[in-house]
Amino acid sequence: MWLSLGWASAPPAYGGLILLPPSRYMARVGDIEATDTKDSTLNYGIVVDCGSSGSRVFVYFWPPHNGNPHDLLDVKQMRDQSRQPVVKKIKPGISMLATTPDQASHYMHPLLSFAAAHVPVTKHKETPLYILCTAGMRLLPESQQAAILEDLVKNVPLEFDFLFSETQAEVISGKQEGVYAWIGINFVLGRFDHEEEEDAMVTVALGGQTESLVRKRTVGILDMGGASLQIAYEVPSMEVFSSPQQEESAKSLLAEFNLGCDVQHTEHVYRVYVNTFLGFGGNLARQRYEELVLNQTSVQHRLQGQQIGTTAETPFLDPCLPVGLEDTSEREGQTLHIRGRGDWQACAQLLHPLLAGINGSQASLTSTYQAPIDFNNSEFYGFSEFFYCTEDVLRLGGHYHAPSFARAAQDYCSLSWSVLTQRFQEGLFSPHADQHRVKYQCFKSAWMYQVLHKGFHFPLDYSSLHMAQLVYDREVQWTLGAILYKTRFLPLRDLRQESSRQAHSPWLRLFVYNHCLFLVCVLVVLLAIMLYLLRLRRIHRRQLRSAPLNLLWLEEVVLLPGQELGP
């Protein structure tokens, strides 16, 4: 069953990056070199990510396809002469033009001018441009979305000579964004290269196929931002659903697509589970937790006459904050006074009910359909909050080990706020750690732990999870996956052109050969004629030299009647 990438989903929170050991990937060190724009064989592509807070333009390039129909285009991010990625960002987001859609092309002008300055002018007409809008635009009514896109489609071609049509400006769903991110990460990691190696392999069963495929194991991704949480991973085996309702629920969360250039080939068919949970990001989870505590203390106050949390003298003792930290939280006109008591295990227990979702909504880690994960043959990378929680303060980023993380988080929570403040001022934490991180590290580490092990059911002894930030010292955005997917048919076009040339080449060689033979024959005939005329001329001259002089003289004299020859 083929499923579209266009089903709507809640907006994801992407911004996470990956960090990998450089020794394993030295073959790609050349990626950081400046792009040789003088190379006329290079092709270019442009993707504009129109997000909620701003828009960014990315310029990519790739050499001619290698001719192997099983290989993808070798797409890389363009770099300028200083080896910096060709990226430009502007603020605010394009969704701010909801009431003035006729300004959309004007809004886009700085980004496209920037891209046009880096792509060789001779390549503009063949450079595809994709304008893809995400979370901010998804929140607008469809009529306003359409008005903004219409202005872009109408006016951008008047100023820029890129390859651009109405199908290349769209509002993508959260599901599409998640799939593109999954594609980008696995492409950079080389998981779409299917040559036989010692890397872990996986057997994939595809719908409608009689034989299973054995290929490289792809990686799953976990991303936790401030507002939302997202997970995406390949589902290699067909699942038998327990009910029609479960199967229907799974349809909206599974995407099966062919990343290869030929739909007849199944080497690059992938079935990916993608789900986004709005309200499960680190910051919104803290707000939900405070609301839960405020409701509980209000109930206790009404029933038992207790004053917990109502004044600074009777604060709520929060196990999710460092010992001695005093804080207040205002929700719905009520003020909750809080004092930290630093009990990480108690904090984790208090957070467990939040996994069920928000007021019974469908966003739930405990009741939403989750495709099965083969934890014995899988690998995941955690981004954003997963990385920050393990690295910025605890300095455990990289390979994740649940017992070590739990001990470090528990030790951190048990420290007093004064000690943590002093350590922060002395620069003992990561340079990326700010005071907000130090303050809420106890809560966020407990929330991350619950999400991972109670929500997604990762075993405590799972050994294939990496908390990451960069890949080869560079960002990997979902836009890379987008252009890989959008340009997936280009290699087939080149292969067909090459095949056509090869198919006609025998006739072409015969045609050229016959013409050459005809020309040679004509030259031979002309040469023979010239030689024959020269020979006649020489014979005639020889006869003239051997004739008697008197005969020659008589032949030239004409006598009139009555004339005589005289002296």
Side-chain angles (χ1 to χ4, degrees), residues 297 300-301 304-311 313-316:
T297 55
Q300 291 175 354
H301 175 62
Q304 303 175 10
Q306 297 178 356
Q307 301 294 320
I308 296 176
T310 57
T311 65
E313 289 72 25
T314 58
F316 166 70

Side-chain angles (χ1 to χ4, degrees), residues 147-325:
I148 291 175
L149 296 178
E150 182 181 359
D151 182 77
L152 293 174
V153 171
K154 177 182 178 181
N155 294 318
V156 165
L158 300 179
E159 298 184 75
F160 300 95
D161 209 14
F162 298 126
L163 193 60
F164 182 62
S165 67
E166 62 179 352
T167 61
Q168 292 167 233
E170 61 177 321
V171 180
I172 64 173
S173 67
K175 183 175 184 177
Q176 286 176 288
E177 191 175 348
V179 168
Y180 292 155
W182 181 88
I183 292 173
I185 297 305
N186 280 282
F187 175 77
V188 171
L189 292 174
R191 300 306 172 94
F192 297 141
D193 302 331
H194 293 164
E195 67 274 9
E196 294 185 2
E197 294 183 357
E198 295 180 357
D199 291 352
M201 309 297 286
V202 66
T203 301
V204 182
L206 299 173
Q209 301 295 323
T210 57
E211 297 182 359
S212 297
L213 300 174
V214 178
R215 63 186 180 205
K216 279 188 178 181
R217 180 182 65 192
T218 57
V219 304
I221 57 175
L222 296 163
D223 187 284
M224 182 189 294
S228 63
L229 166 72
Q230 189 165 60
I231 184 171
Y233 53 91
E234 185 179 7
V235 184
S237 60
M238 301 293 290
E239 183 182 3
V240 178
F241 298 102
S242 59
S243 66
Q245 293 77 11
Q246 187 186 52
E247 183 176 5
E248 189 65 27
S249 176
K251 285 183 179 180
S252 63
L253 300 173
L254 290 172
E256 186 171 291
F257 55 93
N258 193 336
L259 195 56
C261 63
D262 191 344
V263 295
Q264 303 301 321
H265 296 162
T266 58
E267 289 84 354
H268 287 292
V269 173
Y270 299 92
R271 186 191 307 108
V272 179
Y273 170 86
V274 184
N275 204 351
T276 300
F277 301 87
L278 186 61
F280 285 74
N283 295 335
L284 285 188
R286 177 65 193 184
Q287 293 180 18
R288 292 169 52 208
Y289 168 73
E290 292 178 354
E291 291 172 359
L292 177 65
V293 170
L294 186 60
N295 292 335
Q296 290 177 345
T297 55
S298 297
V299 171
Q300 291 175 354
H301 175 62
R302 289 195 303 269
L303 296 180
Q304 303 175 10
Q306 297 178 356
Q307 301 294 320
I308 296 176
T310 57
T311 65
E313 289 72 25
T314 58
F316 166 70
L317 297 180
D318 189 352
C320 298
L321 293 180
V323 177
L325 187 153

Side-chain angles (χ1 to χ4, degrees), residues 137-150 171:
M137 282 279 279
R138 286 197 290 264
L139 297 176
L140 297 181
E142 290 188 5
S143 59
Q144 293 181 338
Q145 295 179 23
I148 291 175
L149 296 178
E150 182 181 359
V171 180

